[in-house]
Every structure is written in C-alpha cells, then in structure tokens.
C-alpha cells in the first residue's frame, strides 16, 4: 500500500471515529496531528484507531507501536507522517517475510 492510499484510509478512519464518538472533527489534511487537533483523541482511542487502520489496510501493527507519536522525539505525528511511518513498517515486514521464505 502506498502512502497516498494510506493517508486516505487514515483520514476516513479518524473522521469515522470522531463521528461515532459524537465529537466534532475539523477538516483533516496531511498536516493534521490527530493527538493535537482532534477533540478527546487520547491514549484510550489510539489503540482502537490503530486496530481499525490495521484491519482496513491488512497491515500488522504491533500492539507496542504507537503510530500517532514519534518514539524518538515524543512529538505527535501528522497524518502524512503516520502514513509514511506505517508504509515503512509494512515494507520492513514484507522484507522480513521475504527473507524468511
């Protein structure tokens, strides 16, 4: 899956989560940082969002990976950064699978 398709999936999932929660959802763009810009998008919601994104994309995202925060800087990621991070994660997974085969 490429970064653009992943970005579209992210935007759809995040918008749906906000709607299902009865919360307002600002316009979502690649620069939107869900943790900073979405009302009540916190550590209780992150795992749910990650699971839905993994299901929608067919990706395997480990439970100990927070796709919404950069582990090194501890800063929230934008939607573009999340899409790039998940694409890189998928790439590494497929390389491991290819090496194991």
């Amino acid at each position: 899956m490429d970064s653009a398709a992943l970005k579209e999936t992210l935007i759809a999932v995040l918008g749906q989560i906000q709607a299902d929660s009865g919360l307002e959802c600002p316009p979502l763009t690649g620069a939107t940082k869900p943790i900073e810009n979405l009302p009540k998008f916190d550590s209780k919601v992150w795992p749910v969002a990650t699971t839905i994104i993994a299901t929608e994309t067919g990706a395997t995202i480990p439970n100990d990976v927070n796709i919404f925060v950069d582990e090194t800087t501890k800063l929230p990621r934008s939607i573009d950064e999340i899409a790039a991070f998940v694409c890189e994660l998928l790439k590494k997974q497929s390389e491991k699978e290819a090496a194991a085969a």
Side-chain angles (χ1 to χ4, degrees), residues 57-86:
T57 60
T60 302
I61 302 173
N63 291 336
D64 62 342
V65 173
N66 183 347
I67 63 173
F68 299 100
V69 176
D70 184 307
E71 214 169 272
T72 309
T73 63
K74 304 295 183 211
L75 295 172
R77 287 189 173 114
S78 68
I79 288 176
D80 281 341
E81 291 168 334
I82 295 165
F85 175 76
V86 173

Side-chain angles (χ1 to χ4, degrees), residues 4 12 17 24-25 34 68 77 82 92:
I17 287 171
E24 71 175 86
C25 185
F68 299 100
R77 287 189 173 114
I82 295 165
K92 286 178 185 170

Side-chain angles (χ1 to χ4, degrees), residues 1-12 29-30 57 79-87 90:
M1 176 169 274
D2 70 348
S3 189
L6 199 58
K7 176 180 167 180
E8 284 180 28
T9 301
L10 273 163
I11 288 173
T29 67
T57 60
I79 288 176
D80 281 341
E81 291 168 334
I82 295 165
F85 175 76
V86 173
C87 279
L90 295 175

